[in-house]
Amino acid sequence: MNPTKNEIMLIGEKESFLIRVLFKKLEEANIKAFFVPAKITNIDAAFSRAAVLAYYLDNSEHVKPDLMHYLADKLTETDKKIALIGEKSDAEETVAYLSSDLILKTFLRPLDTSDFISTMSAHMNKLSSAERKKSILIVDDDPSYMGLIREWIKGTYKVSMANSGLQAIKWLGMNTADLILLDYEMPVTSGPQVLEMLRSDPETASIPVFFLTGKSDKNSVMQVMSLKPQNYLLKTIEKEELLHNLDQFFSKKN
């Protein structure tokens, strides 16, 4: 499993003269970057290499809804951010597809390269510090609940999300987690089935798992604990209690 690389993925319709100039400036600032065409297949194949993305919008091209929806989902899933570079009209059209918390900054053209480089450098330094945080993967088919838990813990932990068991397994093929918060009841692949897959793979067998469950009756709790997770948490848990449980777990682990 590969750790997040300290590189910028620079997306564009083509590797234009202006993009090559920007690469040169980044190189002079000792910042690693690589170019990817603005196509879902190309971006997806290289996504794990990137610490942060920058999209150089070409005003000769219309915004691609499929690509923007993909980026919105992928950035949310991986807790990464994207910088936008373009004319005001292009930037406004693109922003309509992305929530504000996914956008690192919008840079209007003509690009102030000094501002761009200082912003990207500061963000990557922040990510380097965040790498020292414990990493938690939340797996739940309810995006609203998953987003709430992320908001509660993202200040203390590095948080990633997966909306299904299979997406979690795929994510863990390229990343690692210090703890998984796993929904017990999910369609298609249930929490217990996901746990079984995790334990059967040497790469993921030792990752601690807390089950998230909406059932608090004795029989349900006994059924959950019979699978030997590190703990279980009721979905009615309050923010402070959740943070206390996580803090206690990592303190004992250390």
Side-chain angles (χ1 to χ4, degrees):
M1 285 178 278
N2 299 320
T4 302
K5 298 294 192 299
N6 195 32
E7 296 181 79
I8 298 171
M9 179 193 289
L10 188 53
I11 302 166
E13 291 302 319
K14 58 185 178 181
E15 195 169 350
S16 64
F17 171 75
L18 292 173
I19 288 179
R20 289 196 292 271
V21 169
L22 187 53
F23 268 121
K24 183 67 175 173
K25 295 289 185 182
L26 289 167
E27 185 181 352
E28 291 170 358
N30 293 314
I31 298 175
K32 293 180 180 178
F34 61 96
F35 175 78
V36 174
K39 296 179 181 177
I40 293 174
T41 51
N42 296 87
I43 295 170
D44 197 59
F47 205 93
S48 63
R49 286 182 57 191
V52 61
L53 286 67
Y55 193 166
Y56 202 100
L57 302 166
D58 186 340
N59 58 9
S60 67
E61 297 285 339
H62 292 294
V63 171
K64 303 171 181 176
D66 288 351
L67 175 59
M68 298 316 301
H69 288 308
Y70 162 81
L71 285 172
D73 290 344
K74 194 73 174 177
L75 291 166
T76 301
E77 173 193 328
T78 57
D79 200 27
K80 292 180 182 179
K81 292 188 180 293
I82 188 167
L84 303 174
I85 306 166
E87 303 290 347
K88 186 177 180 181
S89 59
D90 295 322
E92 288 174 348
E93 193 177 351
T94 304
V95 165
Y97 291 91
L98 302 172
S99 60
S100 58
D101 63 326
L102 299 177
I103 301 172
L104 177 60
K105 187 171 180 178
T106 299
F107 299 90
L108 298 181
R109 291 167 57 183
L111 176 64
D112 181 339
T113 53
S114 296
D115 184 25
F116 176 78
I117 288 170
S118 63
T119 299
M120 302 304 275
S121 180
H123 182 68
M124 292 174 84
N125 287 336
K126 181 180 175 182
L127 290 177
S128 294
S129 298
E131 285 292 331
R132 293 190 286 272
K133 289 182 178 179
K134 295 294 185 182
S135 172
I136 295 178
L137 173 65
I138 309 170
V139 187
D140 198 307
D141 64 305
D142 182 346
S144 298
Y145 182 77
M146 191 161 52
L148 175 65
I149 297 299
R150 176 181 177 271
E151 285 300 311
W152 284 359
I153 68 177
K154 70 178 185 179
T156 308
Y157 301 99
K158 182 182 175 187
V159 186
S160 300
M161 301 187 296
N163 61 21
S164 71
L166 294 179
Q167 189 180 54
I169 297 297
K170 181 180 177 182
W171 185 90
L172 288 164
M174 298 182 291
N175 306 275
T176 189
D178 296 299
L179 175 66
I180 298 172
L181 298 180
L182 177 60
D183 185 14
Y184 187 80
E185 295 179 287
M186 290 188 293
V188 185
T189 309
S190 68
Q193 288 173 317
V194 175
L195 181 60
E196 185 179 353
M197 286 189 282
L198 293 173
R199 295 295 179 254
S200 65
D201 185 341
E203 289 287 331
T204 57
S206 61
I207 301 176
V209 170
F210 281 20
F211 270 127
L212 299 167
T213 177
K215 295 183 178 179
S216 58
D217 62 279
K218 184 178 178 181
N219 286 340
S220 296
V221 170
M222 288 178 66
Q223 189 176 8
V224 169
M225 293 309 293
S226 69
L227 298 166
K228 297 185 168 46
Q230 273 63 34
N231 201 348
Y232 78 94
L233 302 172
L234 295 177
K235 285 196 166 186
T236 53
I237 195 169
E238 297 291 335
K239 177 181 178 180
E240 293 307 318
E241 187 182 355
L242 172 60
L243 288 169
H244 175 71
N245 272 273
L246 296 175
D247 182 56
Q248 260 197 335
F249 170 75
F250 286 120
S251 295
K252 287 179 181 177
K253 201 165 183 285
N254 290 338

